[in-house]
Amino acid sequence: MFSKFKINNELLGIFYMILCQFSFATNDAFVKMIYLHYNEIFVLNQIIFIRGIFTLLFILLFLYIKKKLDFRKIFSSKELILRGGLEASAALFFFIGIALLPFAQVYILLSAAPVLLTALGAVFLNEKVRWRRWSAVWLGFIGVIVVINPGKLEFGYYFIFPILAAIMLSIRDMYTKSFKKNYHSLQIAFMTCFVVTFIFGLFSIYKFYDFSLKDIFILFISAFFLALGYIFSVATIKVALVSVTSTFRYSVILWGIIYGYFLFNEIPTINSYIGALIIITSGLIILSRQKKFGKIK
């Protein structure tokens, strides 16, 4: 009876996307747990560095299994090195946000990245953006303002960090469009992770922290989930259309709310919920318009 039951590629792709976002959120939650133990912003450098070493080992294993382990191609690519630099900038802003803001709020603000990508594409790449997508862009900006709640500014100006991270991720994605077909996704992930690890390794020289075995173990588990996030993101692209799975990228907000509540005793404000709904609506409008005009499949 069960042999006749099959999951189609669309459902499998959605499942992979949800697992992808769960893995990334779990990794970030572990990072915040260690940060809160030391409660010093500079500890992030060492956290990201050690986590990066473990993640590189996991990705290396998957590259070996996939028979895509080509060091000459990976390390000779200026494109991948530059992409890694952009990722490092995004990681710096993102993890400062993770450290200083409520967990879910960071993901909500980061979800404005598709909105920013549309606006930046129109301005810098001369992409044709019609009035409906521009309306969605402005709707997304309104959602960001609702989340920030400038009349209250409960967490000061720290909201700027996830927004800067979203901008850097948008620039990274625009740049990646020009060469992504030349490399396997895991090769891109490996070199990106290598550059990020190297840069934060240099930063960590500024101040060294004596991590316990428990901290190292948590970072090992964190790296495992980060590597899983990369793997599931690749699997998502391979089995289903982007237009089908992209909507479920916003599931990371749900994981952020769950982890924020159970691990960090954070309860999102009503503004966060309303702003998240507006930003998600804006993103979905942009996705539907891109699908209509054949920009995503």
Side-chain angles (χ1 to χ4, degrees), residues 28 31-36 39-44 47 91-103 106 155 158 161-162 264 266:
D28 297 333
V31 169
K32 180 154 186 168
M33 286 173 62
I34 296 180
Y35 165 78
L36 290 176
N39 202 26
E40 290 188 33
I41 201 68
F42 292 110
V43 77
L44 290 172
I47 289 172
L92 176 63
F93 296 131
F94 173 76
F95 281 110
I96 292 176
I98 284 289
L100 302 177
L101 290 170
F103 201 66
V106 176
F155 296 96
Y158 293 144
F161 291 110
F264 309 118
E266 298 168 353

Side-chain angles (χ1 to χ4, degrees), residues 16 116 130 163 176 179:
Y16 285 156
L116 292 168
R130 300 174 186 271
I163 292 177
T176 307
F179 68 85

Side-chain angles (χ1 to χ4, degrees), residues 63-177:
L63 279 171
Y64 177 78
I65 293 172
K66 289 286 187 179
K67 298 181 180 179
K68 296 291 183 180
L69 192 57
D70 187 345
F71 285 127
R72 179 176 296 180
K73 180 179 181 180
I74 295 172
F75 282 96
S76 64
S77 172
K78 295 180 181 178
E79 298 167 328
L80 294 186
I81 294 173
L82 180 55
R83 186 186 188 277
L86 294 171
E87 181 83 17
S89 299
L92 176 63
F93 296 131
F94 173 76
F95 281 110
I96 292 176
I98 284 289
L100 302 177
L101 290 170
F103 201 66
Q105 191 177 81
V106 176
Y107 290 126
I108 293 170
L109 293 174
L110 198 69
S111 295
V115 177
L116 292 168
L117 185 59
T118 300
L120 291 173
V123 174
F124 294 105
L125 299 181
N126 295 319
E127 293 183 352
K128 191 172 182 179
V129 177
R130 300 174 186 271
W131 70 269
R132 287 186 181 86
R133 274 202 291 164
W134 273 122
S135 298
V137 168
W138 286 112
L139 182 64
F141 288 148
I142 291 172
V144 170
I145 292 172
V146 171
V147 175
I148 294 170
N149 193 6
K152 193 174 182 181
L153 280 182
E154 183 178 356
F155 296 96
Y157 291 94
Y158 293 144
F159 69 84
I160 194 66
F161 291 110
I163 292 177
L164 288 173
I167 292 172
M168 295 309 302
L169 289 175
S170 300
I171 295 173
R172 180 205 66 184
D173 290 343
M174 282 196 304
Y175 179 68
T176 307
K177 285 181 181 180

Side-chain angles (χ1 to χ4, degrees), residues 172-190:
R172 180 205 66 184
D173 290 343
M174 282 196 304
Y175 179 68
T176 307
K177 285 181 181 180
S178 63
F179 68 85
K180 66 180 180 179
K181 293 182 180 179
N182 300 327
Y183 304 93
H184 188 275
S185 297
L186 286 176
Q187 292 175 331
I188 297 175
F190 174 82

Side-chain angles (χ1 to χ4, degrees), residues 3-286:
S3 61
K4 294 181 180 180
F5 179 76
K6 292 184 179 179
I7 300 177
N8 61 42
N9 285 349
E10 285 73 21
L11 286 176
L12 192 59
I14 290 169
F15 179 65
Y16 285 156
M17 176 60 80
I18 293 173
L19 285 178
C20 169
Q21 299 308 312
F22 166 76
S23 299
F24 284 139
T26 304
N27 152 68
D28 297 333
F30 281 128
V31 169
K32 180 154 186 168
M33 286 173 62
I34 296 180
Y35 165 78
L36 290 176
H37 178 70
Y38 292 89
N39 202 26
E40 290 188 33
I41 201 68
F42 292 110
V43 77
L44 290 172
N45 296 324
Q46 195 168 318
I47 289 172
I48 299 170
F49 172 61
I50 296 175
R51 185 203 62 167
I53 292 175
F54 288 138
T55 306
L56 284 172
L57 294 175
F58 285 122
I59 298 177
L60 273 174
L61 176 62
F62 287 118
L63 279 171
Y64 177 78
I65 293 172
K66 289 286 187 179
K67 298 181 180 179
K68 296 291 183 180
L69 192 57
D70 187 345
F71 285 127
R72 179 176 296 180
K73 180 179 181 180
I74 295 172
F75 282 96
S76 64
S77 172
K78 295 180 181 178
E79 298 167 328
L80 294 186
I81 294 173
L82 180 55
R83 186 186 188 277
L86 294 171
E87 181 83 17
S89 299
L92 176 63
F93 296 131
F94 173 76
F95 281 110
I96 292 176
I98 284 289
L100 302 177
L101 290 170
F103 201 66
Q105 191 177 81
V106 176
Y107 290 126
I108 293 170
L109 293 174
L110 198 69
S111 295
V115 177
L116 292 168
L117 185 59
T118 300
L120 291 173
V123 174
F124 294 105
L125 299 181
N126 295 319
E127 293 183 352
K128 191 172 182 179
V129 177
R130 300 174 186 271
W131 70 269
R132 287 186 181 86
R133 274 202 291 164
W134 273 122
S135 298
V137 168
W138 286 112
L139 182 64
F141 288 148
I142 291 172
V144 170
I145 292 172
V146 171
V147 175
I148 294 170
N149 193 6
K152 193 174 182 181
L153 280 182
E154 183 178 356
F155 296 96
Y157 291 94
Y158 293 144
F159 69 84
I160 194 66
F161 291 110
I163 292 177
L164 288 173
I167 292 172
M168 295 309 302
L169 289 175
S170 300
I171 295 173
R172 180 205 66 184
D173 290 343
M174 282 196 304
Y175 179 68
T176 307
K177 285 181 181 180
S178 63
F179 68 85
K180 66 180 180 179
K181 293 182 180 179
N182 300 327
Y183 304 93
H184 188 275
S185 297
L186 286 176
Q187 292 175 331
I188 297 175
F190 174 82
M191 194 58 192
T192 298
C193 185
F194 178 85
V195 174
V196 171
T197 303
F198 178 79
I199 290 175
F200 280 91
L202 293 178
F203 289 163
S204 64
I205 295 174
Y206 175 77
K207 187 172 183 180
F208 179 79
Y209 294 84
D210 188 16
F211 282 179
S212 65
L213 285 177
K214 180 182 177 181
D215 294 331
I216 299 297
F217 178 73
I218 290 174
L219 286 174
F220 179 81
I221 301 300
S222 173
F224 174 73
F225 277 103
L226 180 59
L228 278 184
Y230 285 131
I231 300 306
F232 284 126
S233 66
V234 173
T236 301
I237 295 171
K238 287 186 177 296
V239 303
L241 299 175
V242 174
S243 57
V244 173
T245 61
S246 291
T247 302
F248 294 88
R249 189 180 299 274
Y250 293 107
S251 63
V252 73
I253 295 176
L254 175 61
W255 299 123
I257 292 172
I258 292 173
Y259 280 133
Y261 181 79
F262 286 102
L263 295 182
F264 309 118
N265 297 315
E266 298 168 353
I267 300 176
T269 62
I270 188 65
N271 280 63
S272 294
Y273 285 119
I274 295 173
L277 182 61
I278 294 173
I279 292 171
I280 291 172
T281 301
S282 169
L284 294 179
I285 292 172
I286 290 172

